[in-house]
Amino acid sequence: MGKFFTILFLAACWVMPAFAQTSPAEQQKIDYLIHTIETLQNATFIRNGSEYDAQRAADHLRLKLRYAGDRVKTADDFITCCATASSMTGEKYQIKFQDGRVVEAAIFLRNKLDENAAESKARQ
């Protein structure tokens, strides 16, 4: 029975349209954050005690973004609603780097967002 509800939940997430009124600038920031995760080399992503590669982590964040719908209007909303912790268990998402260092995914993404903003400002 639990498996049925899990499949039903995932199917609803997949077909549920995202009604967010995200501005193009904020959508670019969100895309940048997901791309940063997707292309991160030599790191594993820890979700609910299990480790995942970069591609699976990015896919999971895209799924959560789609499910979040209109709760995500900004890149900060994305980090808070989709990239901080498991909505099922509340466990924080983490990134483990090759050197053994572990950082919370939300902290990593906020730092990347700040770096990107500083780079954009420097180019202007």
Side-chain angles (χ1 to χ4, degrees):
M1 189 72 142
K3 197 175 205 176
F4 171 77
F5 287 113
T6 300
I7 292 169
L8 184 63
F9 172 77
L10 291 174
C13 290
W14 184 253
V15 297
M16 181 182 295
F19 293 110
Q21 298 297 317
T22 306
S23 73
E26 289 298 319
Q27 187 60 53
Q28 273 188 318
K29 292 176 189 176
I30 293 167
D31 293 343
Y32 164 78
L33 293 174
I34 294 172
H35 180 73
T36 298
I37 292 293
E38 190 168 40
T39 58
L40 196 58
Q41 299 291 316
N42 302 314
T44 55
F45 301 85
I46 303 169
R47 178 170 48 95
N48 295 325
S50 297
E51 294 185 359
Y52 298 91
D53 65 17
Q55 182 64 55
R56 287 192 63 194
D59 290 345
H60 179 71
L61 292 176
R62 284 185 191 101
L63 179 66
K64 284 191 75 173
L65 176 61
R66 183 173 178 88
Y67 180 68
D70 64 359
R71 290 181 294 149
V72 174
K73 293 179 176 70
T74 67
D76 192 59
D77 291 345
F78 167 73
I79 292 170
T80 301
C81 295
C82 302
T84 296
S86 169
S87 54
M88 302 293 243
T89 67
E91 285 185 53
K92 292 187 184 233
Y93 295 151
Q94 299 177 315
I95 302 171
K96 183 168 71 173
F97 295 92
Q98 189 173 19
D99 64 5
R101 181 174 47 104
V102 177
V103 65
E104 290 180 13
I107 292 170
F108 174 81
L109 290 172
R110 282 200 173 89
N111 288 340
K112 287 296 180 183
L113 194 58
D114 290 345
E115 287 172 19
N116 184 264
E119 289 172 9
S120 294
K121 193 172 189 176
R123 282 182 259 154
Q124 293 178 350

